[in-house]
Amino acid sequence: MKVFLQKNHRLTFYGLWLLLGLMQSGLTELQDDEAYYWVYSQYLDWGYFDHPPMIAVLVKMGYAIFPNELGVRLFPLLLNIFSLVIIEKLIDKKNPRLFYGIALSMAVIQVTGFVAVPDIPLIFFSALFFFCYKKFIHNYSLINTFLLGLSVALLFYSKYHAVLIVLFVLLSNIRLFTKYQTYLAGVIALLLFAPHLWWQYQHDWVSFRYHLFESNVNAYRVSFTVDYIIGQLLLPGPIAGFILLPAAFFYKPKNHVEKALRYTMVGLYAFFLLSSFRGKVEGNWTSPVLVSLIILSHQFLNEKLRWQKVLFKLLPITLLLVLFTRVIMIVDILPVKTIQQRYHAWKEWPALMKEKTKGLPVVFSNSYQRASKYWFYTGQITYSQNWYRERRNNYNFWPVEDSLLGKPVYFLDKYDLWRLADSLKTPIGWVGYKYDSSFTSFGKVQFKIENKKKLEIKGIDTALTLKFNLAATPEYVDYILKTPQLNDTIQVGVFNSVGWVKDMMTNLSLKEIIQQKITRITITPQLSPGKYYLRFTIRCGNYNATHNSDKIGLVVD
């Protein structure tokens, strides 16, 4: 056995990694975002509100093979393994035992490496990009140029902040700007990424506007920065992170690839540290750093036997933590409500709710996670009717609301149960539901403001006139004109940097706007001096008021 392991250590390592990953993938309940990306795959497109389309393609391919949790996670799991293969190939002075020790010391790539989220392809294509970069600077051939451009495009199709990786690599080697092959690779990447850019253009650059100006913009709290720093200390370990992080930082790069890895690591950490002063930063946003951490810490520890001994002494603790985590993700043995709701809450009640809702389409109140998960586990078409005071998501764009307009549905919610006729006790809490013979919602109807620049008014009692065009498909217009009582209310919500301030009523209805061809509304905000933004919203009956315009900047002097 010992001889076999010595001769086949790589096959054993990667084989066991795959086996454990397959078991974990098939036996672990789908997580909220995974279900959301599964709905992505039902509407394949060149882009989505939140992310580029790579994760949707991976889920689509796997689900076509296995129509269950394993299928959703199959290709992310394979990319997780191939990431390690490529990372090992990027290491010059190979020490397989040390490499395996470092990989096994990183709990995050074991217990979440199978999860169907955009970070998995981002890590893989980051590793692939560095591999292609290594080939490129060794030989500026046309094939290596093409492969570099291709890897950049695949990076961009994975997650938007991949652009930072390319930027830091360029900064690490200024001589690249003197090579025409660098520009050729950039053109190739741009051409391959053009379909997504065209999709963004068709959708008014909605993803870029969201990530740059709407997402992660909050009044600063010290906890944002503290949480970020603690999270990054724990992410590479959690136990061995206190060895791997300093090892990676202490190592002095000896070639262009290692220098690029260092620039990327330091650059990403610094960029998101600065971002923490703008708003909350999720720990996984620095996930590509793991490529740099593994390689650079390996190179440092390879020459530090005392550090290696400490790493391997701590390894059993990490493996026990990983084993324990794997078990509680699969088996409901830990009486902790948070863990139960995350990993063991959707196995039975969706089927029962499907019976109670007679298999009709379901509308969830303001929860893309619950809507997506319910859809996955029941097969019922499910829509998330998003509240205008919360952020938008892809349910604002998919052709779901319009397909349900005027049709019988069931409305479900965890909150405000007083407005729902019945309720069901579930592991996620009481879920209320009610029947609606004719679903009415106008999230797809949009007020397009003519003046897209910031509006300015002087004085608290100054009136403001908003000129707009009402954008609605013929199906919506026909439904609005033919339905006798819509019970719709058009409001203008007012927000500042902290959040919602108030609503202003307009005394207009959609039918009046269409029939009378109204193109302007005059309101008196009565706001104290400051910066605000406005948003049109339409409420129908007891349903949520929806997002019905982009943000409209307003300055009150």
Side-chain angles (χ1 to χ4, degrees):
M1 185 66 176
K2 185 176 181 180
V3 175
F4 174 83
L5 291 175
Q6 288 175 343
K7 290 184 177 180
N8 301 279
H9 54 86
R10 284 190 175 84
L11 178 63
T12 303
F13 175 76
Y14 290 113
L16 288 174
W17 197 289
L18 174 61
L19 180 62
L20 288 171
L22 290 172
M23 292 174 59
Q24 194 85 52
S25 299
L27 298 174
T28 304
E29 192 175 278
L30 217 61
Q31 301 303 289
D32 293 344
D33 284 351
E34 290 182 286
Y36 183 45
Y37 301 136
W38 172 81
V39 182
Y40 269 32
S41 74
Q42 306 302 297
Y43 298 97
L44 276 187
D45 207 341
W46 283 105
Y48 299 92
F49 176 77
D50 320 77
H51 295 294
M54 180 61 71
I55 189 62
V57 175
L58 296 175
V59 171
K60 186 74 173 182
M61 293 190 301
Y63 196 75
I65 301 171
F66 302 112
N68 50 33
E69 291 91 343
L70 175 59
V72 172
R73 295 160 169 160
L74 179 61
F75 281 93
L77 170 63
L78 294 177
L79 291 191
N80 173 249
I81 296 170
F82 293 147
S83 297
L84 292 174
V85 173
I86 295 174
I87 290 170
E88 188 182 9
K89 287 185 176 295
L90 283 167
I91 296 173
D92 288 334
K93 296 180 180 179
K94 291 180 172 52
N95 182 339
R97 179 173 175 270
L98 177 58
F99 173 75
Y100 302 150
I102 293 173
L104 292 171
S105 295
M106 293 184 169
V108 66
I109 61 175
Q110 298 179 71
V111 298
T112 65
F114 66 93
V115 179
V117 293
D119 299 281
I120 301 300
L122 178 64
I123 293 172
F124 170 75
F125 289 115
S126 296
L128 183 64
F129 166 65
F130 283 112
F131 183 79
C132 293
Y133 173 66
K134 183 177 182 179
K135 297 285 186 183
F136 177 74
I137 58 177
H138 178 71
N139 182 0
Y140 294 100
S141 65
L142 285 179
I143 185 63
N144 286 339
T145 301
F146 173 77
L147 291 175
L148 184 67
L150 174 62
S151 66
V152 170
L154 293 171
L155 253 182
F156 291 171
Y157 273 117
S158 300
K159 215 168 180 181
Y160 292 118
H161 65 258
V163 68
L164 296 173
I165 300 170
V166 178
L167 173 63
F168 293 133
V169 170
L170 289 171
L171 291 176
S172 74
N173 187 359
I174 301 299
R175 290 185 61 190
L176 288 171
F177 291 101
T178 66
K179 304 291 183 180
Y180 79 88
Q181 292 93 337
T182 302
Y183 300 96
L184 181 57
V187 171
I188 292 169
L190 184 62
L191 289 174
L192 293 173
F193 196 59
H196 178 72
L197 295 177
W198 177 250
W199 182 93
Q200 289 291 346
Y201 170 76
Q202 290 179 312
H203 292 79
D204 199 23
W205 308 98
V206 62
S207 303
F208 298 153
R209 287 190 292 110
Y210 167 70
H211 286 292
L212 291 174
F213 306 114
E214 297 180 31
S215 173
N216 193 39
V217 181
N218 310 103
Y220 178 68
R221 284 184 280 175
V222 176
S223 61
F224 292 160
T225 303
V226 174
D227 290 347
Y228 168 74
I229 294 172
I230 293 174
Q232 297 313 306
L233 289 173
L234 294 176
L235 186 68
I239 307 300
F242 296 95
I243 295 175
L244 300 178
L245 272 170
F249 275 95
F250 289 158
Y251 179 70
K252 295 181 180 179
K254 294 180 174 57
N255 54 55
H256 284 303
V257 176
E258 291 179 352
K259 186 179 179 183
L261 289 164
R262 182 177 178 83
Y263 266 63
T264 301
M265 178 180 68
V266 174
L268 285 174
Y269 277 138
F271 178 86
F272 287 111
L273 176 63
L274 293 175
S275 297
S276 71
F277 292 97
R278 179 173 176 260
K280 184 175 176 58
V281 175
E282 299 295 337
N284 62 292
W285 290 355
T286 61
S287 58
V289 164
L290 296 177
V291 178
S292 299
L293 273 173
I294 294 174
I295 296 172
L296 298 180
S297 64
H298 177 282
Q299 298 298 73
F300 182 84
L301 295 175
N302 200 30
E303 301 171 358
K304 306 290 182 180
L305 293 179
R306 293 178 63 183
W307 287 55
Q308 284 189 45
K309 289 179 180 179
V310 177
L311 176 73
F312 283 106
K313 284 182 179 179
L314 293 174
L315 181 57
I317 302 174
T318 300
L319 292 178
L320 285 174
L321 286 173
V322 169
L323 177 61
F324 178 70
T325 304
R326 287 185 186 276
V327 171
I328 64 173
M329 289 170 68
I330 296 174
V331 185
D332 186 9
I333 58 174
L334 202 64
V336 178
K337 189 174 182 180
T338 303
I339 294 175
Q340 290 175 330
Q341 290 189 347
R342 180 165 185 174
Y343 297 109
H344 310 289
W346 289 74
K347 294 180 179 177
E348 297 178 359
W349 75 267
L352 182 58
M353 183 64 80
K354 184 176 182 179
E355 291 182 12
K356 293 183 177 295
T357 56
K358 304 176 179 62
L360 289 172
V362 162
V363 177
F364 263 92
S365 174
N366 198 51
S367 177
Y368 71 88
Q369 298 103 327
R370 286 191 286 274
S372 302
K373 216 162 179 180
Y374 186 86
W375 192 343
F376 179 84
Y377 281 107
T378 64
Q380 286 176 271
I381 292 176
T382 309
Y383 174 62
S384 173
Q385 193 196 40
N386 298 321
W387 192 34
Y388 78 107
R389 296 187 198 175
E390 303 287 347
R391 81 171 185 87
R392 293 181 293 173
N393 53 61
N394 228 87
Y395 279 98
N396 291 89
F397 302 93
W398 283 319
V400 183
E401 180 192 78
D402 33 350
S403 71
L404 302 179
L405 194 64
K407 295 180 180 179
V409 301
Y410 273 87
F411 186 76
L412 275 64
D413 195 6
K414 273 188 65 177
Y415 307 100
D416 298 330
L417 298 184
W418 56 268
R419 61 176 174 161
L420 305 173
D422 298 291
S423 60
L424 176 69
K425 189 176 183 180
T426 76
I428 66 169
W430 285 93
V431 176
Y433 60 100
K434 72 171 182 178
Y435 173 75
D436 185 349
S437 61
S438 181
F439 176 61
T440 302
S441 178
F442 298 114
K444 289 286 190 73
V445 175
Q446 293 291 300
F447 289 81
K448 301 290 185 179
I449 304 302
E450 291 184 7
N451 185 358
K452 292 193 174 183
K453 296 181 180 179
K454 273 189 177 179
L455 304 171
E456 293 187 26
I457 58 174
K458 295 183 182 294
I460 192 170
D461 294 320
T462 305
L464 174 66
T465 299
L466 299 172
K467 298 179 181 180
F468 66 87
N469 292 311
L470 190 71
T473 64
E475 292 80 6
Y476 277 99
V477 173
D478 187 61
Y479 181 79
I480 291 167
L481 295 177
K482 288 183 177 179
T483 305
Q485 291 184 332
L486 287 175
N487 195 24
D488 61 309
T489 303
I490 298 174
Q491 305 168 184
V492 177
V494 182
F495 302 80
N496 59 19
S497 60
V498 178
W500 175 80
V501 176
K502 67 176 183 177
D503 291 326
M504 293 179 288
M505 311 303 291
T506 66
N507 296 319
L508 286 176
S509 69
L510 288 170
K511 191 171 292 187
E512 288 175 328
I513 292 174
I514 294 172
Q515 290 177 335
Q516 300 175 28
K517 298 181 180 179
I518 297 172
T519 59
R520 63 180 61 198
I521 292 176
T522 300
I523 56 176
T524 305
Q526 292 187 322
L527 298 168
S528 57
K531 294 182 179 180
Y532 302 88
Y533 72 86
L534 311 177
R535 171 166 274 153
F536 277 87
T537 179
I538 304 171
R539 181 189 297 277
C540 292
N542 288 326
Y543 283 112
N544 296 320
T546 52
H547 298 78
N548 297 102
S549 75
D550 288 329
K551 290 182 176 181
I552 307 163
L554 173 65
V555 176
V556 181
D557 293 329

